[in-house]
Amino acid sequence: MKWLILLLVPTMVFAKVKTEKVVYEKDGVKMEGLLVYNDSVKGKRPGILVFHDWMGNGPYTEMRAKQLAQKGYIAFAADIYGQGVRPTDMKGASDLATKYKTDRTTMRARAQAALATLLTQKNVDATKTAAIGFCFGGTVALELARDGAPVKGIVSFHGGLSAPVKATTLTPKILALHGADDPYVPAAEVVEFQAEMRAAKADWEFIAYGNAVHSFTHKEAGNDNSKGAAYNELAEKRSMREMDIFFKEIL
C-alpha cells in the first residue's frame, strides 16, 4: 500500500490548483488571462503576473503559472496579444512580437491592464506583487517596471533587454536571467541594459548562464544551441532557483 499512497500524493496536491479564465479590456480590446491559485492556501498572498513568450498565452505560460500557484502564490497568466489572437507558426509569432516591441506604449498599457486585473482578484495582497516573463514576456515584464508599476520585483527569463525609452528611475527590484550565448540579445544590448540599470539606480541582478542560448527554460526549443534557441536543463533549474530566492526576499 505504501507505493499506492506515494503515487496518489502528487495527484492530490495538484488537484488543489484551480484555474479560471479572466476576460479583461484595455482601450476597447479584450484580453483573456488565466488566474491560477492553490485553494488549500487561505487568506491574502502575493500575486504574480506571468507574461507569455512570442507564441501567446498558452500551455507553457499556464504550466509556469501552476508552478507558482503550487508554491503558494496567486498567478495570473496575462495576455498581451488580445483574446483569440494566437500565432500558429514562427512567422506569425515573430510578426506579433515585433508589432508590440515596436509599440512599447501599447505593450506597457496592456501590461498595466493585466496588473490592474490581478489586483482585483480575491486574496491577492496588493502590497506584494511581482511579474515574470519568458522571451517576449521578459521584455514585457521589464517594460512594466520601466512604466513605474507598483510591483515589488521583476524577473526576466531570456528576455529582450533593449529599451527605446530608458528608465530614469526604477522602483521594482530587477532580476534578469540570461543565456550567455544568446544570439538574439547581443553583448552590446547587455551592456546597454546594465548601463540603464546603473543610471536608474536600480536594485538589480544580472545572471548569465554559460553554454545557454535563447529559450533555455523551454523544452520544446530542442537541444541544438546552433539554432540560437535551445533548452538547457541546468540553466532552467538554476534560474528557477534564483527566482525562488528573489521572491522569498522581496515578497
Side-chain angles (χ1 to χ4, degrees), residues 97-112:
T98 300
K99 174 182 176 180
Y100 291 99
K101 284 182 179 179
T102 54
D103 182 4
R104 300 295 175 102
T105 299
T106 300
M107 178 190 283
R108 289 182 177 193
R110 293 191 179 183
Q112 289 279 15

Side-chain angles (χ1 to χ4, degrees), residues 46-48 73 127-130 152-153 246-251:
I48 300 176
Y73 303 108
T127 68
K128 296 181 179 179
T129 58
K152 292 290 186 181
F246 183 68
F247 282 160
K248 286 178 182 178
E249 176 187 321
I250 68 172
L251 300 176

Side-chain angles (χ1 to χ4, degrees), residues 62-244:
E62 180 177 346
M63 179 266 289
R64 293 302 183 189
K66 285 180 176 178
Q67 289 176 341
L68 290 167
Q70 288 170 329
K71 294 174 182 178
Y73 303 108
I74 295 176
F76 184 57
D79 180 12
I80 299 299
Y81 293 163
Q83 187 179 32
V85 181
R86 301 292 181 266
T88 57
D89 54 32
M90 292 182 65
K91 183 183 184 305
S94 178
D95 290 345
L96 274 170
T98 300
K99 174 182 176 180
Y100 291 99
K101 284 182 179 179
T102 54
D103 182 4
R104 300 295 175 102
T105 299
T106 300
M107 178 190 283
R108 289 182 177 193
R110 293 191 179 183
Q112 289 279 15
L115 176 60
T117 302
L118 173 65
L119 293 176
T120 66
Q121 302 306 310
K122 181 181 177 181
N123 290 328
V124 171
D125 185 342
T127 68
K128 296 181 179 179
T129 58
I132 71 173
F134 300 84
C135 299
F136 168 79
T139 303
V140 177
L142 289 170
E143 285 299 306
L144 184 66
R146 291 175 177 125
D147 200 37
V151 295
K152 292 290 186 181
I154 296 292
V155 185
S156 169
F157 292 87
H158 40 79
L161 305 174
S162 66
V165 179
K166 293 180 174 54
T168 54
T169 60
L170 277 169
T171 302
K173 300 180 189 301
I174 306 293
L175 175 60
L177 304 166
H178 176 69
D181 299 327
D182 187 340
Y184 300 111
V185 184
E189 188 171 314
V190 172
V191 171
E192 192 172 327
F193 170 76
Q194 294 182 352
E196 179 191 12
M197 295 297 104
R198 293 187 180 95
K201 295 181 171 54
D203 183 340
W204 65 286
E205 296 177 66
F206 180 89
I207 300 175
Y209 297 104
N211 307 309
V213 291
H214 200 63
S215 297
F216 61 77
T217 66
H218 208 311
K219 290 183 179 179
E220 291 187 5
N223 57 11
D224 184 355
N225 277 17
S226 69
K227 294 182 178 180
Y231 176 65
N232 184 303
E233 183 179 6
L234 187 57
E236 179 195 28
K237 289 180 178 178
R238 288 175 174 174
S239 62
M240 292 298 163
R241 184 168 64 242
E242 290 295 336
M243 179 190 71
D244 288 340

